[in-house]
Amino acid sequence: MNKKKLLRILFVVIIIILNLIIFWKIDFSDIDTKGVSFVMEMASNKDDEYQIYYTKVGEDFSEAASKKVFYDGFANGTDVTTIENDTESITVGKKQTLRFDYPIEYDNLRLDFGQYAGNTVIYDMYFEMSGVKYQIPMEQIQNEKNAPSILSRILMEKEGQQCLVVNAEAGDPNMLIQFHKDQLLEQYREANRQNTLILDIAICVVMDFIAIYVLLHFYSLIDIPVQIYQNRKLALTLAKNDFKTKYAGSYLGMIWAFIQPVVTILVYWFVFSVGLKAGNEGDYPYVLFIVVGIIPWFFFSDSLNGGTNAMTDYNYLVKKVVFNIDILPFVKVLSAFFVHCFFIAFALILCTCMGHHPTIYTVQLIYYIFCNFVFVLGLSYLSSAIVVFFRDLGQFINIFILQVGVWLTPIMWNANKMLSPTALKLFKINPMFYIVSGFRDSVLDKNWFWTGDRLLWTIYFWIITILVFGLGVKIFRRLKIHFADVL
């Protein structure tokens, strides 16, 4: 059995394994675990700031892990209501729904009732995840023992609806809210079991259709990777020469390859951190957020620019009948990779100096570097073939893909904080979103690429990358016989 047939069999085995993983691993509840809300429908006789704190087991509550929402339904004096029973009558303001974003990975929840003394009427309290509710019983809130500065909790009725009146002192009145995270997730899974099955089937159908196409054109698609492997020593030599000659004749020489990205990072850092007063992003400084996110973009931009111009830059080699031009886009991408390695080392050293040491998650960088390399290589084969016949493509890529794309990719801004769940999914269609987020997951946020919704986006990324690479290779092979005539 020759190597090409063995590769074909290996590809089929990988596709079968991926199908099994999708049905076993991808759950609809994994897709939007960040869209969990803690909701309290309430009214009060005081305008105040309500706050939730959340921790993992064994940790203390802190301001860093909290969310605040302000109740302002009493001060204007309109739409007040009276709740009464046999012994007392309470007047409160307008009923409002306070909604707090809640990270589902946390286990303990504490609710603070503001700074001022007064009554809070709780009509309903629940967790919500994509329309699925996990109810907190009123009796449970009434009987909670961990409730400092809470004077009384009385169950009452208003228009047939049961509500809980919480009377609190001034200062720091709060109580723990007991819930079972596993039950919450299981309730969510149960409610979306049908959606999970439909989604899994849809993903597998799309993936399998692409796999069938790859199998039908397998030998033509792997021909260029085989050529690269067979000519790897020549490609490496050309890449080194390309890197050196790019700055030949200047006094600083290759140093310019490192100066421009460093200056760009400093400009972005100054504008956003100093000028716009951007604070920390999560648990790390904003400068690390920019550096780790922009490094994969530098490689993508440099590689795509170089790869697009591979045929025109090496036109003297294209016209040589005996030279294998299949490796030229790869040479350009490999040349850009040398600088990329330097900046990855620079980012890791900077993170270490600022207290964010490499962990086991940092190993993932190898995977995301490979993702970036394969994706931009496929684009380079596609663009280098077309630009020979349509020279305006180079300008189009510079303006609409690189200059616009850098702002559509969350490099200088935090997509999870600034975008709604729907808009976030639209922005994630950009494959570079996956790579930039992956770099931050590896170095700063410490998340594996197969956990939660990342597995779904991993499959999406590789489907798009295989399509781009296959299309690029196919068009390159068909047009290359005309390159010498046009150039």
Side-chain angles (χ1 to χ4, degrees), residues 9-78:
I9 293 172
L10 180 62
F11 178 77
V12 172
V13 171
I14 291 172
I15 294 299
I16 293 172
I17 293 173
L18 283 175
N19 276 271
L20 294 175
I21 289 175
I22 288 168
F23 278 99
W24 168 63
K25 178 65 179 173
I26 292 187
D27 196 309
F28 194 77
S29 63
D30 291 333
I31 293 176
D32 193 18
T33 53
K34 292 182 180 177
V36 181
S37 299
F38 174 72
V39 183
M40 180 170 64
E41 297 178 9
M42 51 82 67
S44 182
N45 61 357
K46 62 188 179 81
D47 288 347
D48 209 341
E49 190 172 57
Y50 290 74
Q51 187 171 7
I52 64 168
Y53 291 83
Y54 37 84
T55 69
K56 295 183 179 179
V57 175
E59 296 179 356
D60 296 326
F61 293 108
S62 66
E63 286 291 330
S66 69
K67 294 284 191 288
K68 299 177 181 179
V69 178
F70 197 83
Y71 172 82
D72 58 358
F74 185 72
N76 56 21
T78 62

Side-chain angles (χ1 to χ4, degrees), residues 140-148 153 174-176 178:
Q140 179 179 311
I141 307 171
Q142 183 185 26
N143 299 325
E144 174 58 48
K145 295 179 180 179
N146 295 296
R153 285 163 283 177
N174 64 81
M175 70 166 65
L176 290 181
Q178 304 289 347

Side-chain angles (χ1 to χ4, degrees), residues 266-316:
L266 290 175
V267 169
Y268 284 143
W269 170 79
F270 180 82
V271 170
F272 286 95
S273 292
V274 181
L276 299 179
K277 305 295 183 183
N280 287 0
E281 285 294 335
D283 298 327
Y284 41 84
Y286 186 74
V287 64
L288 296 186
F289 180 82
I290 288 185
V291 169
V292 175
I294 205 169
I295 283 174
W297 183 265
F298 281 153
F299 173 65
F300 174 78
S301 176
D302 196 17
S303 297
L304 188 57
N305 260 327
T308 299
N309 298 317
M311 297 301 114
T312 52
D313 287 351
Y314 286 107
N315 62 80
Y316 58 92

Side-chain angles (χ1 to χ4, degrees), residues 288-417:
L288 296 186
F289 180 82
I290 288 185
V291 169
V292 175
I294 205 169
I295 283 174
W297 183 265
F298 281 153
F299 173 65
F300 174 78
S301 176
D302 196 17
S303 297
L304 188 57
N305 260 327
T308 299
N309 298 317
M311 297 301 114
T312 52
D313 287 351
Y314 286 107
N315 62 80
Y316 58 92
L317 292 177
V318 174
K319 295 175 182 179
K320 288 184 178 291
V321 179
V322 295
F323 188 81
N324 187 351
I325 64 173
D326 291 355
I327 66 171
L328 292 180
F330 176 78
V331 167
K332 286 288 188 178
V333 176
L334 188 59
S335 174
F337 184 69
F338 298 146
V339 180
H340 188 48
C341 290
F342 166 81
F343 277 103
I344 290 172
F346 168 78
L348 293 177
I349 293 170
L350 181 63
C351 290
T352 302
C353 292
M354 300 186 75
H356 294 268
H357 304 280
T359 64
I360 186 64
Y361 295 93
T362 310
V363 176
Q364 281 186 134
L365 278 178
I366 298 172
Y367 164 74
Y368 285 109
I369 291 168
F370 179 73
C371 291
N372 204 1
F373 197 100
V374 176
F375 177 64
V376 75
L377 184 62
L379 283 177
S380 296
Y381 274 102
L382 179 64
S383 61
S384 65
I386 297 175
V387 80
V388 173
F389 306 93
F390 182 62
R391 297 299 176 94
D392 291 346
L393 178 64
Q395 300 302 323
F396 179 88
I397 289 174
N398 273 320
I399 297 172
F400 295 103
I401 294 183
L402 299 181
Q403 291 186 26
V404 176
V406 71
W407 295 104
L408 295 179
T409 307
I411 295 170
M412 274 73 73
W413 51 281
N414 191 326
N416 292 322
K417 289 184 178 179

